[in-house]
Amino acid sequence: MTIPALSPNHPPTADAAAIRAAKGKLGEPAKFALDYARTLVTRATSILGVADGLRDRARRQITWLANQQTYEALAARPVTDLRDLVGRGTRLNALAESGYGTVADVLDATPYELRSAPGVGGRSAEEVSAAARQLADEVRSGVRVRFDVENQTGPHTQLLATLTAIRHADHARATLHGPVHQFASHASRLSAWAQPTTDRSAMRFKRRAKKQPALAALAQLDALLRAPETAHLVQSLDWYERAIVPEAYTADRLWPDYASDAAGFNALLSTLGGHGEDPDTSESAQGFLPSELRQTIRAVPLDTTLLTATLRNYQVFGAQYALHQEHTILGDEMGLGKTVQALAAVAHMAAKGQTRFLVVCPASVQMNWINEIEKHTVLDAHSLHGAGRDAATRLWLREGGVAVTTFGTLGKLDQVADEGIAMVIVDEAHAIKNPETQRSQAVAAVLTQAQRALLLTGTPMENRVEEFRNLIDYLQPGIARRLDAADALSGARHFRRAVAPVYLRRNQEDVLTELPDKIEVEDWVHLTPADEDAYARAVSARNLMAMRQAAFHADDSAKMDMLVEIVEEARQGDLKVLVFSYFLGVLEKIQRRLGEAVVGTLTGSVAPVQRQHLVDTFTRRTGHSVLLSQIEAGGVGLNVQAASVVVIAEPQWKPSIEEQAVARAYRMGQIRKVQVRRLLAKGSVDERLREIQEHKSLLFSEFARKSDAKEAHAAAVDPGEHRPQVLDDTAVPVEHRIIAAERHRLGID
């Protein structure tokens, strides 16, 4: 709004034409303008302040639902479950025979009423009543309020309506605060100066020195009320006034909205106590870091004024950790929202006056970052990639915001490292685990110059502890130098303590209490005769890639038949299926077999924008559908929560690749139970790859899966059956050792 700044010492001014127009609006028109301005400010203030009241309403609804769940649980517990909590002589069977058959029945009765049971005296009645309350407290402490799309109860629908209203109220506060403050400031000042114009008679007798500023103020107020910005503000107020009323929503709108953005709803629910999270005492939400470090990190509140997303407690702590420690690795398990935590840290710094931020990521997720910035913050996003990268870079350097570039493009951007970057975020940071590559060196140059650096990776160590140390070396070389990668399993606890200042990790089971179950099944099949022949030929030819695909060689292969059976079962349940394979040829065979159920195939040759389009099509399609993907093309960076069945056609070299693929579906926002089906062929290379996977999983769990003092529970792994001596020679590439193992098993060598 182009209204000049005003102060009591600087009366408003206007040109002669505006003054003449203002003279025609003395009296009632002027009074209407002032009243209208005040009404807009009142309406806006009311909208900006409604969120707290809505939160109180939601907490009451959550408490009622939790109490109801507790009561239902206790109604299913026989009164004899109180035996361990009462004296030996208490006659619980007598209570059951007298109509107090469940713990809930006991809770509903007074001790005086319980005494009516034969053989139950006053002391026993008091003991039983106290025991029931104790058990009720224990059950209540473990209750988590969850939404179930298959069981849409009235109270849950009402809570969804309140959460929807809160989300709109929060969005209004984030987006309208600035415009409302600006309008209110101008309107109140102008109204004060223009107040005399509401009395036409009094204006006749005022001297020019008093009359002109009042007329000028009225003219400016009229211009302010007619400004396009004010018209937009009024439209926004009209919309938000309807959106913040829970009663305005119906179940047929609420539940589809929840299904499309369950992560957002559950994030908000968690902040209201629906998932039982305690932001002050939850060690899991704070990565099991040392208590002194946790307290220091939480001491500085996170500024979220430029953030439009609702953060969960553990996400707030993740952003605080990145800000306080300055150069860190956020290693949360896939699906916990590392992106939004990074953006929360950026938004905090931007709110404090910082201007330039840089994200470096794989090309496959570059557009996803642009979308997430625009979705979760009010900051400007700049794409430094492709033909227009130079112009975009100049605009970013001039105006600030969050720039997103790729590993391949970063080295081509001139002088970016020298431009005062407040924070550099490196996504999929395990891509720079080898410091000798040009990619790693380009990233290292930027990391060195940035005020803060944050590496994001759910798989910080895929093969060796040494790779993990390389990532730490980019950030805090002193810590990296003190680490001994040869500690192996005996030093894992010491290792985690040593990296606590630079490494934070939380796992799904620690913080996502609302996630549905994940059922993992190994579907072992026997090769058909035709597949066995193809496999034997591949082994004889020492062709490892052909060995891995042989189980899909024939049209009636056992793996294909098993996959068809899984997909048919999903079709009957109206479920969506996500199928991963490393091999394009395997996916082509699957697509031919499954036909129209397949919406498309994500491959390395599909452009990032088109990948997201395929995911959106898969998500929007009503009922059953199948999406195929090369595992290294679709296993990273995409959110495919619409899928509730994930099929992995063959084992991969690294467990992390499979985990990332599964995490495309099993992540925040998933509302259905997820089945993970691994197709495995007996008597094939699949068995050898699973042996290797188990070894890598053990190493990852011990050193990197848990932060700091969190205990590892993995046991030592038996190396498996006896194999030829060459298989234990680590100087021989693992691919060659696998081929040698299969040749030995088949008697070829």
Side-chain angles (χ1 to χ4, degrees), residues 401-441:
V402 187
V404 186
T405 191
T406 67
F407 288 114
T409 302
L410 179 62
K412 302 173 185 177
L413 300 176
D414 295 334
Q415 299 180 330
V416 166
D418 303 326
E419 294 299 332
I421 301 174
M423 175 177 275
V424 172
I425 299 165
V426 183
D427 195 12
E428 305 295 341
H430 46 274
I432 59 170
K433 62 192 176 187
N434 181 359
E436 302 302 321
T437 64
Q438 291 184 348
R439 164 193 293 180
S440 299
Q441 291 168 5

Side-chain angles (χ1 to χ4, degrees), residues 170-194:
D170 287 346
H171 192 267
R173 188 154 53 186
T175 58
L176 296 184
H177 176 77
V180 167
H181 177 75
Q182 184 181 20
F183 176 85
S185 176
H186 286 311
S188 62
R189 193 64 53 80
L190 290 171
S191 295
W193 281 98

Side-chain angles (χ1 to χ4, degrees), residues 322 326-332 338-339 341-343 345-346 357-363 365-366 369 402-408 410 421-434 437-450 452-460 470-472 474-475 636 660:
E326 295 188 352
H327 296 82
T328 59
I329 300 171
L330 182 57
D332 285 348
K338 292 187 289 294
T339 298
Q341 292 177 71
L343 292 177
V346 165
F357 309 91
L358 178 66
V359 176
V360 185
C361 63
V365 298
Q366 198 254 352
W369 267 97
V402 187
V404 186
T405 191
T406 67
F407 288 114
L410 179 62
I421 301 174
M423 175 177 275
V424 172
I425 299 165
V426 183
D427 195 12
E428 305 295 341
H430 46 274
I432 59 170
K433 62 192 176 187
N434 181 359
T437 64
Q438 291 184 348
R439 164 193 293 180
S440 299
Q441 291 168 5
V443 173
V446 178
L447 292 175
T448 301
Q449 297 298 321
R452 284 182 171 85
L454 178 60
L455 306 189
L456 306 180
T457 173
T459 54
N470 288 342
L471 294 183
I472 294 174
Y474 291 119
L475 304 171
V636 176
Q660 286 183 324

Side-chain angles (χ1 to χ4, degrees), residues 271-590:
T271 67
L272 298 169
H275 295 152
E277 295 181 3
D278 187 333
D280 299 317
T281 62
S282 172
E283 287 188 311
S284 62
Q286 300 168 26
F288 296 90
L289 298 178
S291 59
E292 291 185 4
L293 179 57
R294 295 201 308 266
Q295 292 171 8
T296 303
I297 289 169
R298 292 200 65 91
V300 179
L302 187 69
D303 190 331
T304 60
T305 54
L306 301 182
L307 197 71
T308 57
T310 300
L311 297 178
R312 303 177 72 121
N313 296 322
Y314 76 87
Q315 292 174 330
V316 171
F317 184 80
Q320 290 173 316
Y321 177 86
L323 291 166
H324 185 272
Q325 298 301 99
E326 295 188 352
H327 296 82
T328 59
I329 300 171
L330 182 57
D332 285 348
E333 190 172 9
M334 284 79 71
L336 296 188
K338 292 187 289 294
T339 298
V340 76
Q341 292 177 71
L343 292 177
V346 165
H348 173 94
M349 297 178 71
K352 303 303 180 185
Q354 302 281 6
T355 56
R356 283 194 286 271
F357 309 91
L358 178 66
V359 176
V360 185
C361 63
S364 61
V365 298
Q366 198 254 352
M367 284 307 301
N368 185 64
W369 267 97
I370 296 293
N371 293 338
E372 293 294 289
I373 294 165
E374 294 173 345
K375 177 181 178 181
H376 296 309
T377 78
V378 297
L379 304 175
D380 292 328
H382 304 270
S383 175
L384 310 190
H385 182 61
R389 66 171 183 258
D390 292 335
T393 300
R394 290 191 295 271
L395 179 64
W396 168 62
L397 293 176
R398 184 171 65 251
E399 298 186 358
V402 187
V404 186
T405 191
T406 67
F407 288 114
T409 302
L410 179 62
K412 302 173 185 177
L413 300 176
D414 295 334
Q415 299 180 330
V416 166
D418 303 326
E419 294 299 332
I421 301 174
M423 175 177 275
V424 172
I425 299 165
V426 183
D427 195 12
E428 305 295 341
H430 46 274
I432 59 170
K433 62 192 176 187
N434 181 359
E436 302 302 321
T437 64
Q438 291 184 348
R439 164 193 293 180
S440 299
Q441 291 168 5
V443 173
V446 178
L447 292 175
T448 301
Q449 297 298 321
Q451 178 184 339
R452 284 182 171 85
L454 178 60
L455 306 189
L456 306 180
T457 173
T459 54
M461 182 192 65
E462 293 179 324
N463 291 314
R464 297 176 299 158
V465 175
E466 181 66 28
E467 296 172 355
F468 191 19
R469 186 167 70 173
N470 288 342
L471 294 183
I472 294 174
D473 192 51
Y474 291 119
L475 304 171
Q476 298 194 32
I479 293 178
R481 284 193 298 269
R482 293 194 297 272
L483 298 178
D484 184 0
D487 281 344
L489 297 183
S490 63
R493 182 179 178 88
H494 170 75
F495 188 92
R496 291 196 302 272
R497 283 190 176 279
V499 300
V502 70
Y503 175 62
L504 175 69
R505 179 178 176 85
R506 283 74 56 88
N507 301 315
Q508 285 186 345
E509 65 266 24
D510 293 327
V511 293
L512 289 191
T513 59
E514 84 281 3
L515 268 184
D517 293 335
K518 178 175 65 173
I519 301 173
E520 302 197 47
V521 178
E522 293 185 354
D523 291 299
W524 287 95
V525 300
H526 290 281
L527 295 173
T528 63
D531 291 336
E532 283 184 336
D533 291 342
Y535 186 72
R537 290 194 300 272
V539 174
S540 296
R542 302 179 188 273
N543 187 337
L544 183 58
M545 291 302 187
M547 290 164 60
R548 294 181 65 196
Q549 298 177 76
F552 277 99
H553 173 75
D555 291 337
D556 61 346
S557 73
K559 276 196 178 183
M560 183 68 81
D561 287 347
M562 176 60 73
L563 174 62
V564 170
E565 183 179 323
I566 292 169
V567 171
E568 174 59 22
E569 182 181 318
R571 185 191 67 78
Q572 293 176 7
D574 228 17
L575 304 177
K576 288 181 165 59
V577 183
L578 181 57
V579 181
F580 288 105
S581 175
Y582 180 84
F583 302 101
L584 183 57
V586 169
L587 294 175
E588 289 172 347
K589 290 180 179 180
I590 293 172

